């Protein structure tokens, strides 16, 4: 797999995880159906996908929360934080493989950062 393919795969996985978290939030908080998002959550999902699509740091970062540059507008940053705070712990029950993969990546990233400091 080439470097470009790895980056594309990483970007797609990140977008899928964020979409799943927003979908879970929307379903539980706004009562939407499993495959539909309300307009409030759809706007956030499209915004997050756009940010991920244009991220210049995708090669080196693990997740947006570990990025040194926060490209989200303040209002959208607050909204995505609320979604993450709600959906993050629940992902273990709804999407356990993704949750464990995220946890593993986060721990590995922190360990790597400690070694370089």
């Amino acid at each position: 797999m080439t470097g470009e393919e790895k980056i594309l795969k990483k970007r797609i996985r990140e977008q899928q995880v964020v979409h799943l978290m927003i979908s879970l939030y929307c379903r539980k908080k706004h009562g939407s159906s499993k495959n539909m998002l309300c307009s409030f959550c759809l706007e956030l999902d499209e915004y997050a996908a756009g940010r991920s699509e244009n991220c210049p740091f995708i090669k080196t970062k693990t997740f947006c929360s570990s990025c040194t540059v926060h490209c989200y507008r303040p209002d959208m940053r607050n909204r995505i934080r609320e979604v993450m705070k709600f959906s993050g712990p629940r992902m273990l029950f709804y999407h356990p493989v993704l949750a464990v993969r995220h946890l593993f990546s986060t721990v590995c990233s922190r360990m790597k950062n400690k070694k370089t400091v």
Side-chain angles (χ1 to χ4, degrees):
M1 187 179 295
T2 67
E4 288 295 318
E5 289 171 336
K6 285 181 183 179
I7 293 168
L8 180 61
K9 185 177 177 181
K10 184 177 181 181
R11 191 181 308 267
I12 290 170
R13 187 178 326 131
E14 180 177 298
Q15 290 172 346
Q16 287 173 337
V17 170
V18 170
H19 175 75
L20 288 170
M21 292 180 89
I22 293 171
S23 295
L24 176 61
Y25 178 85
C26 193
R27 206 167 52 244
K28 298 295 182 183
K29 291 284 191 170
H30 302 149
S32 66
S33 66
K34 191 170 185 174
N35 296 322
M36 293 289 294
L37 295 175
C38 70
S39 59
F40 184 79
C41 292
L42 181 61
E43 177 187 22
L44 180 60
D45 189 45
E46 290 172 349
Y47 183 82
R51 298 283 93 192
S52 175
E53 197 62 43
N54 296 311
C55 179
F57 303 107
I58 195 77
K59 294 176 188 174
T60 57
K61 73 171 184 150
T62 49
F63 302 103
C64 291
S65 60
S66 64
C67 193
T68 56
V69 176
H70 295 291
C71 61
Y72 278 62
R73 292 189 328 245
D75 62 321
M76 290 297 199
R77 189 173 332 143
N78 289 335
R79 285 169 61 181
I80 199 71
R81 268 194 199 132
E82 183 180 334
V83 167
M84 299 292 173
K85 186 177 178 180
F86 178 85
S87 297
R90 289 164 179 82
M91 289 293 282
L92 198 55
F93 300 107
Y94 291 92
H95 302 285
V97 173
L98 290 176
V100 170
R101 182 184 292 155
H102 177 77
L103 181 64
F104 181 75
S105 296
T106 301
V107 169
C108 287
S109 174
R110 287 184 182 160
M111 288 174 62
K112 183 179 175 184
N113 288 340
K114 281 185 178 181
K115 288 180 182 178
T116 59
V117 173

